[in-house]
Amino acid sequence: MSDKVINPQVAWAQRSSTTDPERNYVLITVSIADCDAPELTIKPTYIELKAQSKPHVGDEIVHHYQLHIDLYKEIIPEKTMHKVANGQHYFLKLYKKDLESEYWPRLTKEKVKYPYIKTDFDKWVDEDEQDEVEAEGNDAAQGMDFSQMMGGAGGAGGAGGMDFSQMMGGAGGAGGAGGMDFSQMMGGAGGAGSPDMAQLQQLLAQSGGNLNMGDFKENDEEDEEEEIEPEVKA
């Protein structure tokens, strides 16, 4: 059985910040199939990784991987995060030492084009788009459809069986969240009296979360009155 030492493929991306150390980092993905026995060395100015592919029955070659990168600028070694995932990749998150808005122009100290180091376009975000991308992610979380959170109109358990009366006021009591009784609001197990979710959203927004059931019932009765057909005289 012979050995073969190769440089693994590397893909990288980065973020930058002048004020937030947690948003000032480099992401590195090292491609090593069946990564086995990795040895990682992290220093302020460089990283070094040694590993091998797990040998399979009948294999005549064991691939030994070795990677050494002198970094463009210093990092904080003790904050480095790393792991093997999916049996194919070794992931690293390196935190830059200097807080600055400008991106590193390259990963390496030397201005040399290494054929095994590529930009990770799936993770790359341009400098002037960082805040916008993060804001979009936050907006997506905040803009969750309330009707889906409540399990749809008239669902028996709602949202995977969550008991909203307990969540909003403890043990299914009627006094939670400013007097909201979710057992009444949800109309039992999805009966014909279940509230319209659009109306519920509107009332919640207007009340700042402190919904009075009298208001809801009053509106509900008005809707029912509108649905009554006029009496037909003979």
Side-chain angles (χ1 to χ4, degrees):
M1 180 178 294
S2 60
D3 293 344
K4 181 180 180 181
V5 179
I6 57 178
N7 287 317
Q9 293 294 312
V10 174
W12 78 291
Q14 62 178 313
R15 300 289 188 274
S16 65
S17 174
T18 58
T19 58
D20 188 353
E22 301 304 316
R23 294 175 54 195
N24 197 55
Y25 55 83
V26 173
L27 297 171
I28 295 179
T29 302
V30 185
S31 297
I32 300 178
D34 299 319
C35 182
D36 186 38
E39 298 178 12
L40 179 65
T41 302
I42 300 289
K43 298 295 182 180
T45 58
Y46 73 86
I47 64 171
E48 188 170 273
L49 176 64
K50 296 179 181 180
Q52 67 181 35
S53 291
K54 293 180 180 179
H56 298 280
V57 177
D59 284 351
E60 297 182 357
I61 299 176
V62 175
H63 294 293
H64 290 268
Y65 296 89
Q66 184 166 334
L67 176 69
H68 180 97
I69 298 178
D70 290 315
L71 300 167
Y72 178 75
K73 279 191 174 182
E74 290 191 22
I75 60 169
I76 306 173
E78 57 270 22
K79 290 191 66 174
T80 298
M81 302 172 65
H82 57 94
K83 66 176 181 177
V84 178
N86 305 326
Q88 298 291 328
H89 304 295
Y90 197 97
F91 294 106
L92 298 99
K93 186 174 185 179
L94 314 175
Y95 285 89
K96 303 175 184 177
K97 180 179 179 180
D98 297 331
L99 291 174
E100 51 190 7
S101 59
E102 294 81 9
Y103 272 2
W104 289 2
R106 57 187 178 275
L107 179 62
T108 60
K109 181 179 180 180
E110 303 85 0
K111 195 175 182 179
V112 178
K113 185 176 179 60
Y114 295 91
Y116 53 88
I117 299 178
K118 307 290 184 182
T119 300
D120 192 337
F121 290 106
D122 290 336
K123 299 177 182 177
W124 191 275
V125 175
D126 291 338
E127 291 170 87
D128 56 354
E129 296 179 354
Q130 295 183 86
D131 293 338
E132 180 180 345
V133 169
E134 182 174 348
E136 289 177 353
N138 292 339
D139 289 345
Q142 295 173 0
M144 191 180 301
D145 186 3
F146 193 79
S147 63
Q148 294 180 6
M149 291 174 61
M150 300 297 289
M162 288 191 289
D163 186 347
F164 277 85
S165 61
Q166 293 184 10
M167 291 177 59
M168 302 304 293
M180 284 192 292
D181 187 344
F182 272 82
S183 62
Q184 294 181 20
M185 290 170 61
M186 297 307 292
S194 299
D196 179 73
M197 297 309 300
Q199 183 184 12
L200 179 57
Q201 291 183 46
Q202 182 179 2
L203 289 171
L204 281 171
Q206 293 174 351
S207 63
N210 296 321
L211 183 63
N212 186 297
M213 282 307 302
D215 295 339
F216 187 87
K217 291 178 179 179
E218 180 180 349
N219 293 336
D220 194 35
E221 290 172 357
E222 291 177 358
D223 291 341
E224 292 178 358
E225 290 176 0
E226 293 176 359
E227 295 175 358
I228 297 175
E229 296 182 358
E231 182 181 354
V232 179
K233 297 183 179 179

